[in-house]
Amino acid sequence: MRKIDFNRDWVCKCLTREDTEHPVTLPHDAMLGEPRVEESLGEGNLGWYLGGDYEYKKRFFVPQHYENKKVLLEFESVYHNAEVFINGEKAAFRPYGYTNFYVDTKGFLKYGAENEIRVIAHNADQPNSRWYSGTGIYRPVFLYVGDEQHIPVNGVKIRTISCRPAVIEVTVKTSVPGEIAVEICRENEAILSVIAKTEASSRTPEAALRLEIPDAKLWDCETPNLYICRVVFGEDTVTETFGIRELKWDAAHGMTINGRRVILRGACIHHDNGILGACTFPEAEERKVRILKENGYNALRSSHYPCSRAILEECDRQGMLMMDEYVDIWYIHKTEHDYADYLMDWWQEDLKDMVEKDYNHPCVIMYSTGNEVAETAQEKGIRLTREMTEYLHSLDPTRPVTCGINIFFNFLSSAGFGVYSDEKAKKNAESAAKNAKAAEKKAGEKKKPEKKKKSVGSEFYNTLACMLGDYTMKVGATLPPCDWKTRDAYAGMDIAGYNYGLFRYKHDLKKYPQRLILGSETFCKDAYRFWEIAKKNPRIIGDFVWAGWDYIGETGDGAAEYADYKESCPAARMTGGNGRIDLLGKPRAEAAYTRVAFEQEKGPFLAVNPVYQKEKLRLTGWQLTKALESWSWRGCAGEPAVVEVYARAAEAELLINGKSAGRRKLKNTCRAVFKTTYEDGEITAVSYDRNGREIGRRSLKTAGNDTVLRIRPEKKTVKPDELAYIWFQYTDRNGIWKPMEKHMLQVTVENGTLAGLGSACPYKEGNYTQHTVKTYYGEALGAVRANGRGPVRITVCDEKHTCTAEIPCE
């Protein structure tokens, strides 16, 4: 079927507040521009956005000859409870806000005339999410048109039968029986062509072809070789990209790709793209995958919902593995209006659409049926675990199935702790209403202490972990009842997903000799310990840290922050601040630690706690350090300084201006902490092997007294309609970063639009659609979309400086 872009010429308006229609191009996140207020019923989970229902409309002409054609609409995702109307008639309803779905237009279109499509995205029913969801049609929409003789959408499926020799199976479905031509290409060169016929042996005619690929180049993380399969049926042509890779998993070898063991160095990611909100843009997904791979990760977990097509395409191209996850809720609520009301009626349709989206992508190596679903401690939930696994096997027998179970919480929930009830939801709503009234009080009037809402589900566990610490939670997971409340569910999946269960690994390897274990969600500080265990035990197949990249919402009792970057308004908390990569895409010091822990680099790397900060922070389990890779703390001479060194070595030494400030042995760790005294100049970390020989060194220098405001585009050129990311950073004239610079920046753009502007600070007044931003440790980031009318011109100014840069438009 012919695929037509259907993303332009829409209008949008809010239905729950006074609003007028305004033009939009999809993808579009209506929530991104909403007010962030204490009246938000989604509260910190939503980043304090208000929420609302939105209507999208588009008028389009349908030619007369389409009357005899098959016409489908694909919505990659609409958040949420989407209703689709065509010419005033309801054509579809899809409650899940993270799945792609199709609308058959038969019986709804007017041929040879103008038509109207109207989509209502409901998101006023707050709270319904544990994180920032976005609102509206935030992923692309496409129109598919096919003649009577056509290949249906998702009608071509490709899987690897073996890699030596390289044999693939191509299954083609057609609307009617007939002759098909199949061509396999690599780098635009045809290497194999076959003619076959589809037979009407089932409801849909199909043909299954086994093809041996000559001189095949296999797909893996290091060499992500891709092929094109082109299928022609009558006037219809379908092109699919695929990779030849053989995936296996068993107790003897763990997980292997093309016969070689792979340990998953994974990162959990949410769907939002930071300052761009929930929108799926190819440039943003390419950048996300690239930065995560550059920082040592070889796998992503789409926590906690199916990922976009765009990120799958980038994972294929860049050699990044994907665990595609279905949902965060089964039939027990985690928030009052979440998907629990719909799941039991829709899970089969949802999983089918997820598998059809994923099937041809070599990057997808596993499905996950859920995250921290405490239902797995109940008989009903155990049955559902097995049913989902078996159903996924029926759709796709080539990939294993897991489910991320929070081991300690399964026990706690079975004892009645942190379980959702309507009564708790009512109390939380009343608490939110009281907070809203308090926000309306006059400035300066003394407020009564606010009552904390009662958290449930995953939020209950997170709050408890912040109070008691990650060590206590990991010890809690070793209690015998935690085993009793998870073992039956684990028996119903291929790979057991352990959320925060590191301390169980060695015990369970002995007790369950056939069990494969995946750290489906882990703490950053555990990377070294995990890696050492996994190297020796093939049944430990991988680790997914929470979180790989910071994200909007789920602020809870999130990462600690210094007082000078906090805002007084409770609704200012925007992110949890827990990513190894910050919200803007800059690797934190924790990313350097992780690269060393996973032996992707030997180091040494240096990071320094902000020297001028005197406040002692209590870090949560999801945060290893607040250290920055900078020695620019002018004015702090003589002040205490804490320096961290990350290295795969026997010892690490710290030099300050050439003099030793200490030497530490690195036994069962790759992190050394030095307490010293700050002085301007240069610090150097030196690593040594067991014989005392130097094996590496790295330095940081203090920036000069001069201050420069720089504009640093990530790309040298930009295409029309393409996104470009632009850094705003304070440095000295030599480009050395100055993190102590704090300023309010104002940004203007010519020959483009400012799509988003923000900093990595977890606190923010307003939202990311504004043209002003406060720097966070001397930095901010903008995303600009070029309009193609000339070079994109960006101007930024603060209280003293004005700086301009241009990006040529191709």
Side-chain angles (χ1 to χ4, degrees):
M1 298 180 74
R2 186 160 62 99
K3 185 178 181 180
I4 302 170
D5 188 305
F6 207 66
N7 294 301
R8 296 185 181 276
D9 302 320
W10 290 78
V11 294
C12 174
K13 75 171 182 178
C14 182
L15 300 178
T16 46
R17 293 179 292 277
E18 188 173 337
D19 195 12
T20 56
E21 289 184 350
H22 51 279
V24 297
T25 298
L26 306 181
H28 178 254
D29 177 7
M31 182 175 281
L32 189 64
E34 286 182 349
R36 297 177 57 243
V37 293
E38 289 182 66
E39 292 88 339
S40 167
L41 296 178
E43 299 183 304
N45 283 344
L46 208 59
W48 297 97
Y49 282 88
L50 201 52
D53 296 341
Y54 288 82
E55 179 186 72
Y56 292 81
K57 290 195 298 187
K58 175 184 173 79
R59 300 191 69 82
F60 61 105
F61 182 80
V62 177
Q64 184 67 46
H65 65 275
Y66 275 25
E67 188 170 7
N68 298 318
K69 296 181 183 289
K70 181 77 169 179
V71 181
L72 293 178
L73 279 164
E74 181 192 16
F75 291 85
E76 281 203 26
S77 289
V78 180
Y79 198 88
H80 71 158
N81 291 339
E83 294 180 285
V84 180
F85 299 85
I86 300 176
N87 295 320
E89 297 291 326
K90 189 169 182 176
F93 168 70
R94 195 61 178 261
Y96 195 31
Y98 298 105
T99 188
N100 60 308
F101 64 96
Y102 301 90
V103 180
D104 191 340
T105 65
K106 187 175 182 180
F108 296 101
L109 292 178
K110 299 174 184 177
Y111 302 101
E114 191 172 63
N115 291 252
E116 181 186 75
I117 183 169
R118 185 165 63 97
V119 180
I120 299 178
H122 296 274
N123 204 11
D125 56 341
Q126 297 294 332
N128 62 52
S129 178
R130 294 195 302 111
W131 52 80
Y132 178 86
S133 61
T135 304
I137 312 176
Y138 66 94
R139 288 178 180 165
V141 180
F142 294 97
L143 185 73
Y144 289 87
V145 180
D147 295 326
E148 180 183 355
Q149 191 179 39
H150 67 268
I151 300 170
V153 176
N154 303 315
V156 177
K157 291 187 176 179
I158 307 148
R159 65 168 177 150
T160 301
I161 301 300
S162 65
C163 62
R164 296 179 183 89
V167 178
I168 63 170
E169 181 181 76
V170 180
T171 302
V172 181
K173 294 182 178 180
T174 56
S175 58
V176 295
E179 185 176 273
I180 58 171
V182 178
E183 184 178 68
I184 305 299
C185 305
R186 172 162 169 75
E187 296 177 347
N188 297 320
E189 182 180 345
I191 60 173
L192 189 65
S193 297
V194 178
I195 302 295
K197 287 186 177 181
T198 57
E199 304 292 344
S201 56
S202 61
R203 190 174 67 175
T204 303
E206 70 175 43
L209 311 175
R210 290 207 171 188
L211 308 174
E212 184 172 338
I213 308 300
D215 302 317
K217 294 182 180 294
L218 304 182
W219 187 97
D220 59 24
C221 294
E222 289 72 39
T223 55
N225 297 300
L226 294 172
Y227 287 80
I228 297 293
C229 177
R230 183 176 294 112
V231 182
V232 178
F233 178 54
E235 298 296 317
D236 197 7
T237 300
V238 171
T239 299
E240 292 285 347
T241 301
F242 71 98
I244 302 170
R245 67 106 179 92
E246 188 175 29
L247 178 69
K248 292 184 177 180
W249 60 97
D250 58 46
H253 307 95
M255 177 172 280
T256 63
I257 293 179
N258 304 330
R260 188 179 64 159
R261 187 190 175 204
V262 174
I263 304 175
L264 304 180
R265 307 185 305 272
C268 296
I269 58 170
H270 270 314
H271 72 306
D272 76 74
N273 280 304
I275 60 175
L276 298 173
C279 287
T280 292
F281 298 122
E283 308 95 313
E285 305 291 43
E286 180 277 330
R287 180 176 183 263
K288 182 182 291 183
V289 174
R290 171 171 46 82
I291 291 172
L292 285 162
K293 187 160 188 183
E294 288 170 353
N295 282 276
Y297 296 102
N298 68 355
L300 304 179
R301 175 192 182 205
S302 66
S303 42
H304 306 291
Y305 30 71
C307 64
S308 69
R309 291 187 188 273
I311 201 168
L312 288 178
E313 291 168 3
E314 284 304 323
C315 288
D316 285 347
R317 191 178 65 82
Q318 298 188 45
M320 179 72 82
L321 305 175
M322 172 64 76
M323 178 171 81
D324 209 2
E325 189 157 82
Y326 170 37
V327 76
D328 187 53
I329 314 106
W330 283 358
Y331 52 81
I332 297 176
H333 285 280
K334 290 183 180 178
T335 58
E336 187 175 2
H337 301 290
D338 59 29
Y339 196 54
D341 292 331
Y342 297 97
L343 180 128
M344 295 305 290
D345 294 327
W346 284 91
W347 66 266
Q348 289 184 317
E349 185 74 12
D350 292 341
L351 289 179
K352 180 178 73 68
D353 287 332
M354 182 175 79
V355 170
E356 288 191 339
K357 168 179 66 73
D358 293 355
Y359 195 92
N360 292 338
H361 290 279
C363 66
V364 179
I365 46 88
M366 198 180 330
Y367 299 117
S368 170
T369 56
N371 170 66
E372 295 182 347
V373 279
E375 293 92 330
T376 51
Q378 304 173 353
E379 287 187 14
K380 178 182 175 182
I382 293 166
R383 287 195 303 273
L384 183 57
T385 302
R386 193 174 297 277
E387 288 172 5
M388 284 188 175
T389 298
E390 291 173 352
Y391 182 63
L392 282 167
H393 286 165
S394 73
L395 298 171
D396 181 1
T398 70
R399 294 173 171 101
V401 178
T402 187
C403 180
I405 295 179
N406 191 314
I407 299 171
F408 191 27
F409 180 62
N410 259 35
F411 163 53
L412 294 175
S413 66
S414 65
F417 295 101
V419 179
Y420 173 90
S421 71
D422 289 335
E423 183 182 356
K424 287 179 183 176
K426 184 179 179 181
K427 287 181 178 179
N428 288 344
E430 290 172 353
S431 175
K434 288 179 181 178
N435 290 344
K437 287 182 180 180
E440 295 174 359
K441 290 186 177 182
K442 293 180 181 179
E445 186 177 341
K446 191 174 181 180
K447 297 182 183 180
K448 294 180 181 179
E450 296 173 358
K451 291 183 179 180
K452 272 208 164 187
K453 69 175 184 177
K454 293 185 177 181
S455 56
V456 298
S458 298
E459 189 179 356
F460 170 80
Y461 176 88
N462 296 345
T463 302
L464 201 62
C466 289
M467 292 169 55
L468 302 180
D470 60 287
Y471 182 83
T472 301
M473 308 311 281
K474 287 178 289 189
V475 169
T478 66
L479 297 173
C482 294
D483 181 26
W484 307 337
K485 291 297 180 181
T486 55
R487 61 191 178 192
D488 292 334
Y490 283 146
M493 58 187 81
D494 301 308
I495 295 171
Y498 284 39
N499 281 23
Y500 310 110
L502 178 72
F503 290 0
R504 291 202 66 90
Y505 288 3
K506 290 183 178 180
H507 171 272
D508 288 1
L509 286 170
K510 292 179 181 178
K511 186 171 182 179
Y512 301 101
Q514 295 302 309
R515 180 181 289 181
L516 298 179
I517 296 173
L518 171 68
S520 42
E521 198 163 305
T522 63
F523 296 112
C524 174
K525 64 181 65 174
D526 294 330
Y528 179 91
R529 183 169 179 174
F530 149 75
W531 190 252
E532 295 304 307
I533 296 172
K535 285 191 298 183
K536 301 170 185 175
N537 297 280
R539 288 192 288 126
I540 304 293
I541 68 163
D543 172 280
F544 285 89
V545 69
W546 193 269
W549 195 297
D550 198 11
Y551 54 94
I552 306 173
E554 200 178 10
T555 61
D557 293 306
E561 187 52 78
Y562 293 109
D564 62 331
Y565 280 115
K566 287 184 178 180
E567 301 287 351
S568 58
C569 172
R573 186 81 196 226
M574 177 72 93
T575 81
N578 292 313
R580 310 292 74 78
I581 311 297
D582 72 22
L583 190 79
L584 306 185
K586 180 176 181 177
R588 290 184 166 127
E590 294 162 321
Y593 160 78
T594 304
R595 294 197 303 274
V596 172
F598 288 166
E599 295 185 282
Q600 299 306 293
E601 296 191 54
K602 290 185 177 180
F605 294 97
L606 284 158
V608 183
N609 281 352
V611 177
Y612 74 96
Q613 298 283 12
K614 308 306 177 189
E615 183 182 358
K616 288 188 177 181
L617 298 180
R618 184 174 180 268
L619 302 182
T620 70
W622 291 278
Q623 195 175 27
L624 175 68
T625 181
K626 292 288 288 184
L628 305 174
E629 293 175 279
S630 175
W631 190 244
S632 294
W633 310 104
R634 284 196 177 274
C636 297
E639 295 290 345
V642 178
V643 180
E644 300 185 16
V645 176
Y646 316 125
R648 278 281 179 172
E651 290 184 282
E653 183 178 22
L654 181 67
L655 306 177
I656 301 180
N657 293 326
K659 297 179 181 179
S660 179
R663 192 158 169 159
R664 301 279 187 275
K665 292 186 181 297
L666 293 167
K667 186 177 181 181
N668 298 324
T669 186
C670 63
R671 179 188 182 211
V673 179
F674 297 84
K675 293 183 178 180
T676 185
T677 302
Y678 178 79
E679 56 183 86
D680 294 338
E682 182 179 58
I683 59 169
T684 302
V686 184
S687 56
Y688 301 92
D689 66 14
R690 292 178 180 175
N691 298 316
R693 291 176 300 200
E694 180 179 327
I695 56 175
R697 68 169 51 213
R698 190 175 302 266
S699 299
L700 294 173
K701 293 182 179 180
T702 305
N705 286 317
D706 58 300
T707 300
V708 178
L709 171 58
R710 293 182 182 273
I711 298 178
R712 183 166 53 85
E714 289 188 349
K715 290 182 178 180
K716 292 182 179 179
T717 61
V718 64
K719 297 176 181 177
D721 291 327
E722 190 177 51
L723 279 173
Y725 288 87
I726 298 99
W727 286 91
F728 308 107
Q729 186 184 54
Y730 286 90
T731 72
D732 68 5
R733 65 168 62 93
N734 295 317
I736 298 177
W737 176 32
K738 303 190 76 171
M740 292 181 71
E741 294 294 327
K742 297 179 184 176
H743 299 274
M744 175 68 79
L745 303 182
Q746 183 167 353
V747 178
T748 56
V749 177
E750 298 174 43
N751 296 324
T753 56
L754 187 61
L757 178 67
S759 77
C761 185
Y763 290 81
K764 177 173 178 57
E765 292 183 348
N767 58 46
Y768 296 129
T769 64
Q770 298 168 182
H771 283 241
T772 57
V773 60
K774 293 180 182 178
T775 58
Y776 183 64
Y777 291 110
E779 294 179 314
L781 179 77
V784 173
R785 187 172 296 282
N787 62 21
R789 297 172 191 157
V792 177
R793 184 179 176 88
I794 306 105
T795 301
V796 59
C797 59
D798 63 10
E799 306 86 354
K800 297 180 180 179
H801 308 82
T802 297
C803 183
T804 299
E806 286 190 354
I807 308 174
C809 192
E810 296 179 19

